[in-house]
């Protein structure tokens, strides 16, 4: 069964540094997402991406964050000038297209990248 | 703003019995709901979904019930198996306007052999 893959599984970064989290979504999927889960808290939506542009973003996704699909397979989340509170699990997800614009399709998640900011 | 709530952080059930996990939501515009299962060190795995035009959807041992008037959905697992032990998340979206999903805080299910 096709799956979403994320690298690295664990990233340790000094506060203030930039970090790039990488994801390879399922190949025929059209919608791509990033979520984060701070330890002990709920999974929080960050951003959705479709047709090479951001389709929705939450209030968490401020100017510190950016996403890119640099080629036909990778989907990246860049965090500039990381802060201690950015420490979390970051999940990438993808879903098929559909008449509902992705909002009525189940999302398939990767196993996440644990980001630790020191 | 907690739009999706799972008020039971944990649940223990004997193997073979029914597990019922509950989820409440506050946004009446939500029209698509999902349940995910999550094992430690893995991402959430999609289990089952339901559209607001239905009140029940069944897939094998898993059934999701939706009560729109109460803004409540539940996941029934029958019969429960030890391999079902995991954290279960419900999620919801306003599919007609966008693709942002809101997750609950999760319920940790333990199925006792």
């Amino acid at each position: 069964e096709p799956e979403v893959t994320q690298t690295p599984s664990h990233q340790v970064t000094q506060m203030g540094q930039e970090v790039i989290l990488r994801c390879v979504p399922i190949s025929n999927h059209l919608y791509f997402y990033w979520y984060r889960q701070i330890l002990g808290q709920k999974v929080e939506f960050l951003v959705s991406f479709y047709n090479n542009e951001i389709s929705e973003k939450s209030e968490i996704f401020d100017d510190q964050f950016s996403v890119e699909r640099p080629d036909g397979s990778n989907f990246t989340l860049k965090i500039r000038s990381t802060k201690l509170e950015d420490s979390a699990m970051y999940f990438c997800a993808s879903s098929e297209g559909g008449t509902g614009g992705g909002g009525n399709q189940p999302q398939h998640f990767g196993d996440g990248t644990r980001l630790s900011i020191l | 703003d907690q739009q999706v709530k799972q008020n039971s952080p944990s649940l223990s059930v004997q193997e073979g019995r029914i597990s019922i996990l509950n989820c409440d939501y506050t946004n009446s515009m939500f029209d698509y709901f999902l349940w995910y299962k999550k094992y430690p060190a893995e991402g959430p795995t999609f289990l089952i979904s339901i559209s607001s035009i239905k009140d029940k959807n069944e897939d094998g041992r898993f059934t999701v019930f939706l009560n729109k008037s109460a803004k409540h959905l539940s996941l029934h697992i029958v019969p429960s198996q030890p391999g079902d032990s995991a954290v279960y998340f419900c999620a919801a979206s306003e599919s007609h306007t966008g693709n942002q999903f809101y997750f609950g805080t999760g319920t940790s299910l333990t199925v006792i052999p």
Side-chain angles (χ1 to χ4, degrees):
Chain A
E1 185 177 324
E3 57 182 27
V4 176
T5 56
Q6 291 186 242
T7 54
S9 57
H10 190 192
Q11 174 80 46
V12 181
T13 302
Q14 291 288 329
M15 185 173 60
Q17 296 296 305
E18 175 182 286
V19 65
I20 297 176
L21 309 182
R22 303 183 189 279
C23 170
V24 179
I26 295 173
S27 61
N28 64 336
H29 284 186
L30 300 179
Y31 292 86
F32 314 110
Y33 307 84
W34 283 101
Y35 290 83
R36 79 173 185 190
Q37 185 180 27
I38 295 171
L39 187 64
Q41 298 186 24
K42 64 179 178 177
V43 175
E44 298 175 292
F45 170 84
L46 291 177
V47 66
S48 60
F49 192 87
Y50 171 73
N51 200 26
N52 283 318
E53 61 183 21
I54 290 174
S55 95
E56 286 193 65
K57 60 182 181 179
S58 71
E59 60 274 10
I60 302 169
F61 193 89
D62 59 22
D63 293 343
Q64 184 194 10
F65 295 89
S66 62
V67 289
E68 193 177 35
R69 189 157 161 81
D71 52 42
S73 59
N74 291 285
F75 180 51
T76 62
L77 174 68
K78 181 188 290 186
I79 309 174
R80 287 179 283 274
S81 189
T82 49
K83 302 180 286 227
L84 292 176
E85 54 265 37
D86 294 327
S87 296
M89 281 293 290
Y90 287 80
F91 293 105
C92 173
S94 67
S95 66
E96 298 177 16
T99 56
N104 62 355
Q105 295 287 330
Q107 298 172 1
H108 299 263
F109 283 77
D111 286 340
T113 293
R114 179 171 299 283
L115 178 62
S116 299
I117 307 299
L118 305 178
Chain B
D1 180 21
Q2 189 80 338
Q3 298 198 48
V4 178
K5 301 177 185 179
Q6 293 176 257
N7 292 318
S8 297
S10 63
L11 174 69
S12 290
V13 171
Q14 285 290 133
E15 180 179 4
R17 306 294 290 268
I18 184 171
S19 295
I20 300 176
L21 297 103
N22 294 302
C23 179
D24 298 293
Y25 60 96
T26 56
N27 186 345
S28 59
M29 301 303 290
F30 286 152
D31 61 357
Y32 183 64
F33 305 88
L34 312 93
W35 283 95
Y36 286 88
K37 176 166 89 170
K38 185 181 181 302
Y39 293 118
E42 294 184 11
T45 301
F46 169 70
L47 273 179
I48 192 168
S49 64
I50 188 167
S51 162
S52 61
I53 62 174
K54 294 184 174 182
D55 53 19
K56 175 183 174 181
N57 189 25
E58 191 172 351
D59 184 1
R61 296 186 298 115
F62 302 93
T63 303
V64 56
F65 295 92
L66 176 62
N67 182 334
K68 291 184 287 294
S69 61
K71 297 192 184 68
H72 178 83
L73 67 157
S74 61
L75 175 68
H76 292 208
I77 306 173
V78 172
S80 301
Q81 300 173 353
D84 295 330
S85 297
V87 177
Y88 288 79
F89 293 95
C90 65
S93 73
E94 291 183 47
S95 72
H96 56 288
T97 61
N99 51 33
Q100 181 169 351
F101 283 80
Y102 298 84
F103 279 73
T105 50
T107 296
S108 178
L109 173 67
T110 301
V111 180
I112 303 164

